[in-house]
Amino acid sequence: IMGSDCPGSKTKGVIDGSACSSLCEKGTLYLGKCFTAKPKSQVYSGSWGDLEGVIKCQMEDAPHYDLGSEMEPRKESAAFNKPTKGTSVEKFREMILNHLKAKVGDQANLADLATQVLAITDANKDGHISLPEAHSTWALLQLNEFLLALVLQDREHTPKLLGFCGDLYVMEKVPHSPLYGVSLPWIVEVWMPAGLRHSMDQWFTPSWPHKAKISIGLLELVEDVFHGTFGSFLMCDVSAASFGYNDRHDLKVMDARYIVPEAIFQEDIRQQRCEADEDCVYGADCLTSCDLTKHRCTPEVTRPNLAKACEALKDYVLRGAPSDVREELEKQLYACVTLKGSAEQMEIEHSLILNNLKTLLWKKISHTKDS
């Protein structure tokens, strides 16, 4: 990793960040177990002094679904050549603001977000933004996961950003993942029938009140990313592997690369050529339809985030559900799974189902110590 474009440029004075001296000079930022087999998207367990964290360094486009490269541009960030020498802080602020506008649309309070970005940029807190610090922040801003961590930093469902060096960044460790199931050696995975795998996943889950609390967390995340403070995001991979939880059973996003700003998704998918609806997909879960008159994908996703979240929770939270709540819970979840069209088109129905589910689960666990 030291030979990559992550922290390698630190000694040349190209990049800087709050984790750089620990990684490159003091040796107090340790990279532990490697979680990915992909050389271009590196994820490690790690420790930074007495903090435990997850260290990430993405060195390529998001997996390529024809629009992957536009959604997560890496070409310019890898070079650490922006902003250029002589750029004033005011000009850099303007660059940040324009970048955020392009990513999440023209939200009223983007200036606040730009101010937060500048505060993070000043990694050594000396009141001065150096060019290497600015290079590092600009590279990080290109990544969806970093953008989402910024947008949701005051919410409890995204792990905290602990520090960075160039576009290598350290996130708070999430002790339990995936959301449910068990990690098996790949050789066992390959030979295990899907049905048995599914059953096993259901055995390795917390107690039902804990599952209810984690489920409420996923529903709250759906609320946070839909019409949130800084625009709407689409959840394009709502699988158990994308989420985890902490010891208090608060849900945490493990992999936010596929939670993308709706504005940029729509812009990019419109350019996509298609012959059938299957050509209009990003990640595992963001599907639109193919307009056969123009052979272009339409911008509206066919299922809202909430329907996909309920799909992921259905078996999880119904298994072991108390008898007095099970029937109503099943009814609400099935109504939720069948939601179609964009959330804007059916905002009232969307809100109603979301609130009903949260209330139902919360009522059942609010008197217990698990809540």
Side-chain angles (χ1 to χ4, degrees):
I1 191 162
M2 293 300 287
S4 74
D5 68 358
C6 284
S9 319
K10 154 70 183 165
T11 48
K12 299 177 194 147
V14 176
I15 59 172
D16 202 356
S18 51
C20 279
S21 67
S22 301
L23 179 68
C24 306
E25 290 153 20
K26 296 179 192 157
T28 50
L29 178 61
Y30 293 103
L31 277 66
K33 183 181 170 192
C34 180
F35 290 131
T36 53
K38 299 180 186 111
K40 301 281 186 166
S41 176
Q42 301 182 4
V43 183
Y44 297 87
S45 66
S47 59
W48 185 8
D50 44 13
L51 285 174
E52 279 200 85
V54 173
I55 299 163
K56 298 191 175 190
C57 181
Q58 293 166 27
M59 290 178 285
E60 65 163 3
D61 308 332
H64 201 27
Y65 292 94
D66 287 321
L67 50 147
S69 55
E70 288 95 318
M71 285 212 164
E72 197 129 321
R74 285 283 311 166
K75 306 297 182 283
E76 60 167 283
S77 69
F80 298 115
N81 57 4
K82 285 192 180 182
T84 50
K85 199 172 179 186
T87 304
S88 67
V89 171
E90 212 29 66
K91 182 74 185 130
F92 184 46
R93 184 196 179 85
E94 204 181 306
M95 278 174 70
I96 293 167
L97 208 48
N98 289 335
H99 176 73
L100 293 171
K101 255 181 219 166
K103 281 276 196 179
V104 299
D106 199 353
Q107 310 296 320
N109 46 4
L110 277 190
D112 299 346
L113 193 55
T115 304
Q116 288 170 18
V117 174
L118 283 174
I120 291 168
T121 306
D122 179 13
N124 59 2
K125 301 284 172 264
D126 64 351
H128 167 73
I129 291 174
S130 68
L131 191 59
E133 284 174 338
H135 283 161
S136 300
T137 303
W138 185 253
L140 286 168
L141 273 177
Q142 312 308 311
L143 304 172
N144 286 328
E145 181 157 66
F146 185 75
L147 182 68
L148 195 81
L150 279 177
V151 166
L152 295 181
Q153 64 183 334
D154 58 339
R155 311 296 293 159
E156 64 185 29
H157 302 306
T158 43
K160 299 231 172 326
L161 175 74
L162 301 177
F164 62 92
C165 178
D167 56 356
L168 171 145
Y169 53 107
V170 187
M171 305 290 278
E172 167 196 15
K173 185 185 177 190
V174 177
H176 308 284
S177 67
L179 185 60
Y180 53 80
V182 62
S183 298
L184 297 167
W186 68 269
I187 193 82
V188 180
E189 287 274 13
V190 171
W191 295 105
M192 184 171 283
L196 179 59
R197 169 82 239 206
H198 186 69
S199 302
M200 273 190 75
D201 279 348
Q202 292 300 337
W203 300 334
F204 290 92
T205 56
S207 67
W208 190 83
H210 289 155
K211 287 197 290 189
K213 188 175 181 198
I214 293 163
S215 301
I216 290 167
L218 186 56
L219 297 171
E220 286 173 346
L221 177 71
V222 169
E223 277 180 304
D224 287 343
V225 299
F226 171 62
H227 282 344
T229 322
F230 301 108
S232 281
F233 286 72
L234 294 173
M235 295 164 71
C236 295
D237 186 359
V238 192
S239 63
S242 301
F243 304 99
Y245 56 94
N246 64 14
D247 293 332
R248 294 201 312 275
H249 298 92
D250 298 320
L251 177 105
K252 298 282 181 184
V253 179
M254 293 290 295
D255 183 352
R257 284 176 305 157
Y258 293 104
I259 301 183
V260 294
E262 187 171 29
I264 210 139
F265 169 85
Q266 292 190 334
E267 199 181 300
D268 289 341
I269 200 112
R270 268 195 192 99
Q271 318 299 320
Q272 175 86 346
R273 285 196 61 78
C274 60
E275 298 299 327
D277 291 353
E278 294 76 61
D279 299 330
C280 303
V281 68
Y282 178 70
D285 294 312
C286 284
L287 180 71
T288 78
S289 54
C290 181
D291 178 348
L292 289 170
T293 57
K294 301 175 187 158
H295 288 283
R296 284 278 188 275
C297 295
T298 58
E300 292 296 335
V301 286
T302 49
R303 295 181 83 199
N305 293 335
L306 182 58
K308 295 178 278 195
C310 288
E311 185 80 61
L313 290 176
K314 188 165 52 74
D315 295 342
Y316 178 68
V317 79
L318 281 177
R319 186 183 173 89
S323 52
D324 59 338
V325 80
R326 190 187 163 89
E327 198 178 324
E328 181 58 21
L329 186 57
E330 192 164 10
K331 197 174 91 184
Q332 292 290 345
L333 280 166
Y334 277 95
C336 177
V337 167
T338 55
L339 285 169
K340 286 270 190 292
S342 77
E344 278 87 348
Q345 293 162 349
M346 43 170 198
E347 193 142 357
I348 294 167
E349 190 184 359
H350 184 277
S351 300
L352 198 63
I353 288 178
L354 185 62
N355 288 329
N356 284 350
L357 272 168
K358 273 173 63 185
T359 307
L360 192 63
L361 292 168
W362 195 245
K363 215 160 70 182
K364 195 68 203 154
I365 64 165
S366 58
H367 62 284
T368 68
K369 65 179 191 310
D370 301 307
S371 65

